[in-house]
Each structure stands twice: as C-alpha cells, then as structure tokens.
C-alpha cells in the first residue's frame, strides 16, 4: 500500500518566509526558488497572494511569481485566501492555486476572518473565477487540532474534504498547523480520506512543532500518502507556538525517504546546499538536522589510536 | 502486535552528560536524577563506571550512584565498559549493569579499544563477576551503521545479539549511535531480534542526529518494541556528528506515545519541568521541542478580532 515514490511540495518561500520578521528582498526570494527548481522537486509553493498588511514579507507575490525561471515539469503554486488572490495569481500565470481555509471556526476567524462554511462558500466563487485554466488545491488548516478550540473531530474534516471534492477541486492538503497531530491520528484521517476520495490528490502538511513531524510523515506514507509539504531547514512556524519548530524540513524528509529506498526524485545535495544559504538570508539558524550532521552515509576518519 | 504500554529508560545523566564540556557538579546530577525518579520512569541510567580520563564528566559515578535516593520500582542503571566498571558498580549496589560494545570493529577500537569479538570475550568474564546479584543488559553501539566504516550488516548484529543471549544476559539494546538508522531498517532489525530471541528484553536507543529519531521509535513500536532509551531535552550527541542533535528527547517521546494513547507510566508535566532545568545546568539550550512548544493540548486565547 505504501508508495515506492513520493513527491515533495517545498513551501519555504511561502510558509517559511511568511513568519520571518525581517524583509527578504525579492531578488533573494527569486534566487532561492530558482535554486529549488534545480533540485527535482515536484512542486514549489512560491508565495501567497494575500493582503500585504496581513503578511508583509509576501507583499511582492506578483513580482516573485513573474520573476522566477519556470522549469518544465515543476508546478509553481501560490496560496490563495480569497477572490482578489485568484485574480492576482492568474494574472501572472500561477500553475496551481492552493486555496486555504481552517477546519476549526475559531482558527478560521483568527487567521482568515471566516468560518469553515464561509470559506467553502467563497471557494465556490473562486473555482468559478479560476475556471479550468489552472490546477486547484485546497489546504485545510487545523485539520488535526486547533490551538484555540482544541480537538477537531475527524468527521468534521471529512465533511469539509467532501465539500471540497464536490466543488471539483483537484486535491486537498491536510495541515497540522500547530503540530498537534500524532502518528495514529494522521494514519487514521489520511486513510479515511483516501478511501472516501480515491480520485482526490491527498497531501500531508506536517509541522514539527512538537517533534512528531517526520513520524507523522512516515505514518501517512504507511497508509498510502504520496505527497508532502515541507520547507528547507524546517523553516516556518506559528504565532501560537513561539520558539518552536515550523514545517517539517524538506532535506530531512527527502533524506529519510531516500534512506528507506523510497524515491523522491530530488537531488539531496542540492537541497542541502540551498538550505545552507538560509541563515545568511533570514539572519538566524534553522532547525534542520541533515544540513548540520550531513547525510547518513557521511564518513569520518578513524582517530589515530584506532588505526 | 504493537504494545499498549511502553517503558522509558532515561539516559540524560549518562549519555546526555558524558559529552558536556563543562563539569556538572555531583549534587546537581543527584538532584536531576532524584527529579527523574518522581516522573514514573521505568529505568534511569544514572552514570557510567568508565575511565575518568575518557569521560571526565562522569568521574563521580560512585558518588552519584550512592548519593541518589532510590525509589522502589525504578531500576538504576550504569553503563559498564569493562571488569573494573563491574566492580565499581557492584560496590554501590547498581540495579542493572549495562555492558557496552560496538557492532563495528572500527568504532569499537575508537571508542573502547576493542573489536566486537574482544568485547564479547570480556562480557563473558564480566557476567561471571556480576553473578546473579544484578540484572544485566548489553548495549550494541553502531547497530545500524558506523561513522567510520559505514553500513553494518544486519546479520552481523544478529550474530552479536545471539552471542549476548548465549552469555545469559537479560536484555540487549540496539543503539543508533550516530543517527544513521531509517525506519524501515529499524523495523526489520528489531523484528528479526524479537523473532529469534523472544525471551530477550529488547530496547531501542535512537539518536536524532538526522531528525529520524521519533520516526524510528515509531517504527520499532510498530513491530513490538516496548523499551526505549531517551534523554531529557534530547541531550547528548556524538563527537562524529558535531552540531547535531543527540539522543531522542524523553519528554517528546513520552508526549508522542501519550498522544497516541500508548501508556508510558510517566508524568509528562514533571518530565517537562525537569527538562526546563537543563539549560541553566549545562549552559546551553537543548533541542527538545515540547519543552518549548508545550503539549499538544496547550490552548491559546483567541485574538481580539476573532472573538
């Protein structure tokens, strides 16, 4: 049941950069995305067409999407919160629009000023606007729990997934926005979505807030999930988990799968090299492990006394 | 096949402290172990009876083992490299002697100045010395790979495990000394040991050097492993992976299992409180996540605009 090949959507330039307090210059964003384009990733979430007031660091969404060098075979994705975002994204030829909503109404109101039902109603209009010109995905935040209201029943998430599928959206991403998911929960929900909607492209978006990110990715892979969101260096985070890790780390995830003999299509050395440029760009260290420790096949010289 | 209850051996005071460059005063070690004794852990590896020249920070092994307040039901363990260590450990009434060797000869020579065969021969003498007065375990370093010579064949590890079982030692610990193991490898080797030696107590000692620590623990649990080594805050490390994380983090492991509904017998709040004392003790931050992010059931107040 587990796939022998997985695909990675790198979200560094969107989920990673959106929380960074220091402005990242547009040419640096473009250079990073272009470096990512040379690593064999299936998708790159390049930016979000959202309000610059809400997320100042992504105010240059249009310039970024227009400025990057598109590589054939890679889908360049943008996160889209509303109709205005659809319009802006389509203007610059975005390959995939990733709509976003929250499974929990309190997080939806806090983050998007919309309940889940309001988001779904809006999605219907956004699907109409987008037409069939571009691929569509919907990301469901707090699918495994909400930092305000707590547990989110799996049945509620499954209702939302069904509503999204009914809208003709091609894929759905289950987001563990603040790292509340555990491996058994991830396996159960991903399995249920896969059984009910075999034609829907299912992606897992784990966060490593509480250290369970790669364990959750493993659990999802074990029940057939083939698509994962991740960010270089494990960048990203959440305002409701200060000091904690953010997304799962792209190069650590690719490293794990490659060690397991599961193909990712990625050049790990190039990913590590791209990750190593981040601290200079953002002004702080990242939680990524493989960029510090090297790959599992790294060898050391024997100490003198043991030769 | 997966157990509904797991037991944790906390190795903070041994594997965690042994690599710390700054001397940790004996009363602080004792206070930390006494705090750990109030958390419900099954075992506490309190120190190592090794050469003070090799590991200066554990030069006070005897004082630590004599100074702690023993709690009934908890096994206080010491790591033992040789006959001298057996003698010193027995003198202070250690509950369990944890012999150590390396699966790979190059790591064995570098770390213990012994090949695997030399270690096994020595273990025979150490078993005789210990008699039946105390429980015995053997830890096999580099069981999933060696930073000097690379892959270690599973069959070689299984030969070593068989030799250890033949010596009448009660349990074996498979150590991923430098975080080279991946989940499929862990599952396969643990399953093989369990099938061949159902009477042997099997423990997994994962390191998080490359971010796979909790995923490896999950994979081991899935094939029936019930015993795990871990250190508060993910302390520890390896001289051959500078800058990288060390042991898997006790409180993050307990948190994952408890979120999964798997009983650990531990009071997670007390573990987190004990972990929070580490930075002041060792003079630097730790890689533990839950101590920073809080447990998955942590709740935040809704922002003003969303109420």
């Amino acid at each position: 049941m587990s796939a022998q090949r997985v695909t990675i959507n790198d979200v560094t330039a969107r989920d990673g950069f959106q929380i960074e307090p220091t402005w990242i210059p547009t040419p640096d964003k473009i250079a990073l995305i272009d470096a990512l384009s040379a690593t064999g990733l299936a998708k790159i979430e390049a930016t979000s067409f959202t309000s610059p007031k809400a997320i100042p660091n992504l105010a240059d969404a249009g310039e970024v999407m227009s400025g990057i060098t598109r590589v054939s075979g890679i889908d360049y994705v943008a996160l889209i919160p509303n109709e205005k975002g659809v319009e802006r994204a389509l203007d610059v030829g975005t390959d995939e629009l990733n709509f976003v909503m929250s499974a929990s109404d309190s997080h939806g109101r806090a983050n998007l000023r919309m309940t889940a039902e309001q988001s779904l109603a809006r999605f219907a209009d956004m699907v109409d606007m987008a037409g069939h010109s571009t691929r569509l995905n919907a990301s469901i935040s707090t699918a495994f729990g909400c930092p305000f209201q707590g547990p989110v029943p799996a049945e509620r998430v499954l209702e939302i997934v069904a509503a999204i599928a009914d809208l003709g959206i091609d894929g759905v991403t289950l987001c563990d926005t603040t790292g509340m998911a555990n491996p058994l929960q991830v396996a159960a929900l991903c399995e249920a979505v896969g059984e009910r909607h075999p034609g829907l492209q299912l992606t897992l978006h784990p966060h490593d807030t509480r250290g369970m990110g790669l364990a959750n990715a493993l659990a999802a892979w074990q029940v057939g999930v083939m698509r994962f969101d991740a960010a270089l260096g494990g960048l990203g985070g959440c305002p409701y988990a200060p000091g904690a890790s953010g997304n799962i780390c792209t190069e650590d995830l690719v490293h794990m799968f490659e060690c397991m003999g599961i193909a990712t299509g990625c050049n790990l050395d190039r990913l590590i090299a791209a990750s190593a440029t981040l601290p200079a760009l953002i002004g702080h260290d990242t939680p990524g492990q493989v960029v510090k420790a090297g790959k599992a096949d790294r060898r050391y010289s024997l100490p003198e006394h043991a030769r």
Side-chain angles (χ1 to χ4, degrees), chain A:
Chain A
M1 187 164 186
S2 304
Q4 289 307 299
R5 184 182 167 80
V6 295
T7 59
I8 316 288
N9 175 31
D10 184 275
V11 300
T12 311
R14 199 278 302 168
D15 204 2
F17 286 171
Q18 71 178 18
I19 202 175
E20 290 300 323
T22 308
W23 170 249
I24 300 162
T26 308
D28 291 339
K29 287 173 179 147
I30 291 170
L32 183 81
I33 294 166
D34 287 347
L36 284 171
S37 289
T39 64
L41 289 159
K43 289 188 187 184
I44 298 173
E45 192 159 296
T47 190
S48 176
F49 290 95
T50 185
S51 153
K53 262 186 251 167
I55 306 185
N57 226 328
L58 302 187
D60 56 0
E63 295 156 81
V64 168
M65 198 55 96
S66 306
I68 55 176
T69 302
R70 305 283 180 101
V71 171
S72 158
I74 301 176
D75 282 341
Y76 295 89
V77 184
L79 193 79
I80 310 287
N82 53 31
E83 294 89 338
K84 175 78 186 154
V86 175
E87 199 179 292
R88 290 171 62 200
L90 291 178
D91 277 351
V92 291
T94 306
D95 295 321
E96 180 175 305
L97 310 189
N98 183 16
F99 301 165
V100 60
M101 63 174 289
S102 293
S104 61
D105 288 340
S106 48
H107 187 266
R109 281 196 300 265
N111 205 39
L112 302 158
R113 296 173 191 253
M114 280 184 275
T115 64
E117 291 308 321
Q118 289 169 331
S119 284
L120 286 169
R122 210 141 183 189
F123 281 7
D125 295 336
M126 292 158 68
V127 170
D128 287 343
M129 282 184 70
H132 296 286
S133 54
T134 179
R135 259 178 300 282
L136 300 179
N137 188 78
S139 280
I140 307 173
S141 297
T142 64
F144 300 95
C146 169
F148 306 119
Q149 69 189 60
V152 175
E155 272 309 319
R156 177 62 185 141
V157 180
L158 289 166
E159 278 173 17
I160 293 171
V161 172
I164 288 169
D166 284 346
L167 291 172
I169 292 173
D170 309 297
V172 70
T173 301
L174 300 178
C175 303
D176 183 23
T177 310
T178 57
M180 293 170 67
N182 70 71
L184 292 183
Q185 183 188 11
V186 167
L189 187 56
C190 289
E191 197 163 33
V193 170
E195 279 168 3
R196 296 191 194 187
H197 306 282
L200 199 63
Q201 294 204 339
L202 174 60
T203 302
L204 183 72
H205 178 104
H207 275 229
D208 198 37
T209 319
R210 293 171 174 92
M212 294 183 279
L214 289 194
N216 285 335
L218 175 70
W221 172 79
Q222 288 173 333
V223 297
V225 174
M226 300 171 57
R227 298 173 194 84
F228 298 90
D229 284 359
L232 283 180
L235 216 62
C238 175
Y240 310 112
S245 286
N247 290 270
I248 56 168
C249 173
T250 303
E251 64 271 23
D252 291 4
L253 180 72
V254 166
H255 177 265
M256 181 176 80
F257 278 127
E258 294 288 338
C259 286
M260 290 164 63
I262 308 304
T264 63
C266 292
N267 182 314
L268 183 51
D269 291 322
R270 289 187 188 172
L271 281 175
I272 293 171
S275 179
T277 68
L278 284 179
L281 198 59
I282 56 180
H284 60 84
D285 196 15
T286 69
Q289 300 274 19
V290 174
V291 72
K292 300 185 193 86
K295 297 182 291 185
D297 63 5
R298 182 171 179 175
R299 297 288 165 269
Y300 288 81
S301 300
L302 267 176
E304 196 77 34
H305 73 264
R307 278 175 210 161

